[in-house]
Amino acid sequence: MSTLYIYSDKDAGEPLVETGDLKEIARLLQAEGVRFEQWEAGAKITADSTSEDILDAYADAIDRLMTEGGYKSVDVINMSPNHPDKLALRQKFLDEHQHSEDEVRFFVKGDGIFYLHLNERVLALQCCAGDLISVPADTKHWFDMGDTPNFTAIRIFTNPDGWVAKFTGNKIASEFPRYEVLAR
Ligand SMILES: [Fe+2]
């Protein structure tokens, strides 16, 4: 289930806050300038749904967000536990990094954990099916999909070519609990 943990960035032990209340999560994230909301599908998504079906089912919400945020493109990605590159793909975004544009993700199925390093705190948010998160440009963050990743997500970009990770070199991510510990 969707859960937010807030830690001091100097103490990866007990979180200062742990909540699964979606309204409270949205409020706490909004205070940091991070968009978090729930979208309803306009049509049923099944195992046979194509990327086009998925984009159609969420077209209204996607159009609204793209207009509001000035985004230009959208795609759908799938990660499955039998993906041949799953370990490399997990590792790819597991260290603290930044992007020059927002990282916008809507979880159609499955889950993953975003860790946002903001204002001397680490906010670890497990996003699940139905959750939209927009990590603002330049926010220090990392992402953990676990070692058996299993999700389908809509990605919304200003410019996919510009969505390159700049690693900060800070090893903070290795200090905080990973997906296996935090996922609910
Ligand atoms: Fe990222």
Side-chain angles (χ1 to χ4, degrees):
M1 61 180 258
S2 310
T3 306
L4 175 67
Y5 305 86
I6 302 178
Y7 300 87
S8 160
D9 67 355
K10 295 171 188 64
D11 182 359
E14 284 300 302
L16 306 169
V17 172
E18 175 180 344
T19 179
D21 181 322
L22 293 171
K23 285 200 169 68
E24 179 69 357
I25 293 173
R27 189 185 68 77
L28 290 164
L29 290 173
Q30 189 175 34
E32 303 289 351
V34 177
R35 182 193 292 261
F36 177 73
E37 57 193 36
Q38 277 65 49
W39 289 0
E40 300 266 348
K44 192 161 172 55
I45 304 290
T46 69
D48 296 328
S49 296
T50 64
S51 294
E52 288 69 32
D53 295 336
I54 290 169
L55 294 175
D56 281 348
Y58 293 100
D60 290 350
I62 292 170
D63 288 349
R64 171 181 57 79
L65 189 63
M66 288 181 79
T67 301
E68 281 179 31
Y71 304 114
K72 299 281 187 266
S73 67
V74 57
D75 69 9
V76 177
I77 57 159
N78 263 298
M79 278 298 309
S80 66
N82 54 12
H83 193 294
D85 297 325
K86 64 180 182 181
L87 295 181
L89 288 167
R90 180 189 190 190
Q91 197 59 44
K92 189 173 178 187
F93 297 111
L94 210 45
D95 286 322
E96 187 183 81
H97 64 274
Q98 297 162 288
H99 308 282
S100 58
E101 66 169 70
D102 300 348
E103 182 166 339
V104 186
R105 299 289 181 271
F106 174 76
F107 284 77
V108 178
K109 290 191 300 194
D111 65 343
I113 300 181
F114 282 91
Y115 298 75
L116 313 180
H117 187 187
L118 282 163
N119 300 323
E120 302 186 341
R121 299 191 298 173
V122 170
L123 290 77
L125 174 67
Q126 181 182 8
C127 287
C128 297
D131 292 345
L132 177 285
I133 183 173
S134 177
V135 180
D138 298 322
T139 303
K140 294 173 184 169
H141 68 280
W142 62 97
F143 176 71
D144 193 357
M145 58 178 83
D147 63 3
T148 53
N150 192 15
F151 65 85
T152 299
I154 296 172
R155 306 189 297 179
I156 300 174
F157 302 96
T158 308
N159 172 12
D161 296 336
W163 189 70
V164 175
K166 290 176 292 185
F167 289 90
T168 65
N170 187 335
K171 294 294 169 208
I172 185 171
S174 63
E175 299 167 13
F176 280 81
R178 294 298 195 190
Y179 179 93
E180 288 78 358
V181 175
L182 292 188
R184 293 286 180 253

